[in-house]
Every structure is written in C-alpha cells, then in structure tokens.
Amino acid sequence: MTVTIPDVIVRYYRLIGEPDIDAFVACFTDNAIVADEDRTYQGPAAIRAWRERTAAEYAYDAVPETVEEEAGGNIVVTTLVTGTFPGSPVRLRYRFTLRDGLIGALDIRQ
C-alpha cells in the first residue's frame, strides 16, 4: 500500500532545516502535544520553546526514510537524525496525529 504523505508533514520536515520558527509552529494545532525525550510540550508557546531550545543546542538534519499509516490513521515516519548531539546518528519514529490538516500530536521515540 502506498501512503501519501500529508502536506503538513512534508512542511514539518522542510522547516526543521530552516530558521522560520513561526512557520514551524504553524504546522501544529492550537492545543497540539509534542512528546520528545521524555518531556511533553502542549500548545504554541511550549512547542515554540521546544523548537527554539533544540535548534539552539544542536545542529541537526532529520531525513524521512519510511512512511506507514497505522490502523487508526496516524502517520509514522522512520527518520534518520544526524547532528551535533550525543549518540548521532539515530533512527527515530515520529508518530503524527493529524487534525484539520495540522499536527495535533507528535510522539518522537527510538
């Protein structure tokens, strides 16, 4: 089965490598939740702070390798992340839950 990658996910990965944090945060719903490194960030202000912190601490690239759609409709993207962080490179699973064309939840795990 071929999975069509939703535009907002394509935009999310493109914006990881760009400095436009406003456009990055605009990929998420107003009440979106991001789970990353055993922390949870909810809402635009928290997601902005998460993005600003990670961008300031590390230079990194995130390259999607595989995409699958789960039974519940979530999109799971296996991503190769390389950069200036301990343990680089690492393969992570990004689980996207979409709502109204935006990211309603993002869970990032190994």
Side-chain angles (χ1 to χ4, degrees), residues 11-81:
R11 195 166 57 245
Y12 171 89
Y13 280 100
R14 180 179 45 91
L15 290 167
I16 283 176
E18 296 182 12
D20 189 348
I21 293 178
D22 289 335
F24 182 86
V25 173
C27 291
F28 294 86
T29 63
D30 287 342
N31 60 351
I33 297 172
V34 173
D36 183 30
E37 296 183 299
D38 297 322
R39 291 179 150 169
T40 302
Y41 309 89
Q42 184 168 11
I47 292 171
R48 175 182 297 280
W50 164 69
R51 176 66 182 130
E52 288 173 342
R53 180 184 56 78
T54 57
E57 288 181 12
Y58 307 110
Y60 65 95
D61 289 317
V63 178
E65 293 185 321
T66 64
V67 180
E68 59 188 276
E69 184 172 0
E70 295 180 326
N74 292 336
I75 304 293
V76 178
V77 181
T78 302
T79 305
L80 180 63
V81 183

Side-chain angles (χ1 to χ4, degrees), residues 58 80-92 110:
Y58 307 110
L80 180 63
V81 183
T82 58
T84 59
F85 56 89
S88 176
V90 64
R91 218 166 244 102
L92 301 174
Q110 275 194 305

